[in-house]
Amino acid sequence: MVRVLVFDRTCRDGMSQIWATGAWLYRGLGRIDAARGVASWDEALAWLSQLEAPIDELQYWGHGKWGRAFVADDVLDARALVPGAPRHRALCALRERLGAHALVWFRTCETFGARVGIDFAERLADFLGARVAGHTHVIDFFQSGLHGLAPGGRADWSPLEGLAEGTADQPRRARRSAPWAPRTITCLRGRVPAAWFAG
């Protein structure tokens, strides 16, 4: 079983270097076994499919928005889970690489926020047959609104969590993470607390 980290290597805002340094740190601390910077989701999924051992944990570090995770402008969302979608077969191959108790964790801004984020979380957990985790807030050093979901479970967090403007169906702006915000960890923490999983 391997623990792997994928990050967006394309950012010109300095984040790619921060994620690369974080990956080096996590590797040194023994929290991951392998890391890869990618320029697209296709590259990420191709690399994951070549790993020899089953995947116990997959973290993705990059940018996100409600119900979406990005590599540059390349989006991964619930549309990819539909049979016939361009990445559906690659995601099926990833599903086959996941271990029995695997975790797929999006360390991205607000991917699990609002109603569309909850829908993505529930559908992804069921599709992969694996635990998933993600955030409802804008994340940086502090990473708030961290929620996990087991396959077959349903979200136990509000679609309004993390929203600064807009509605659950039409979000416009997310709140920044803060130590006092719900379900907050820092970027230095490498685990999702077991009690924070629903289902």
Side-chain angles (χ1 to χ4, degrees):
M1 303 288 274
V2 293
R3 297 159 299 162
V4 297
L5 189 158
V6 175
F7 65 90
D8 183 346
R9 72 165 188 261
T10 70
C11 292
R12 297 180 181 175
D13 59 4
M15 289 306 301
S16 289
Q17 186 57 51
I18 291 170
W19 293 324
T21 301
W24 176 83
L25 175 64
Y26 267 44
R27 185 95 185 248
L29 292 171
R31 293 180 179 173
I32 58 170
D33 303 301
R36 177 83 168 217
V38 298
S40 70
W41 280 111
D42 290 336
E43 182 183 351
L45 292 167
W47 178 68
L48 292 167
S49 73
Q50 296 170 7
L51 297 173
E52 294 183 9
I55 298 168
D56 185 53
E57 181 175 316
L58 164 59
Q59 291 191 33
Y60 175 67
W61 296 2
H63 291 299
K65 213 64 179 163
W66 301 284
R68 296 169 286 169
F70 298 95
V71 178
D73 294 326
D74 190 14
V75 66
L76 178 69
D77 60 16
R79 293 173 295 181
L81 309 178
V82 178
R87 292 198 178 99
H88 184 262
R89 292 180 69 182
L91 288 168
C92 289
L94 172 62
R95 179 173 61 199
E96 297 303 312
R97 303 294 306 132
L98 297 175
H101 304 288
L103 169 65
V104 177
W105 182 0
F106 290 92
R107 296 186 92 160
T108 54
C109 294
E110 73 224 45
T111 295
F112 280 11
R115 208 172 308 280
V116 67
I118 287 175
D119 178 67
F120 178 55
E122 292 176 346
R123 291 175 63 184
L124 186 67
D126 290 346
F127 176 86
L128 294 176
R131 297 174 304 146
V132 298
H135 299 265
T136 60
H137 288 59
V138 175
I139 65 172
D140 42 46
F141 178 80
F142 291 106
Q143 300 185 346
S144 300
L146 173 56
H147 294 276
L149 188 63
R154 290 298 165 254
D156 62 356
W157 63 96
S158 169
L160 297 174
E161 183 182 288
L163 284 187
E165 292 180 12
T167 67
D169 293 311
Q170 294 184 317
R172 289 198 300 271
R173 185 169 63 88
R175 297 183 186 280
R176 296 199 68 81
S177 294
W180 53 84
R183 302 277 181 95
T184 297
I185 63 169
T186 74
C187 63
L188 302 176
R189 187 162 181 179
R191 292 280 179 209
V192 181
W196 291 3
F197 282 92

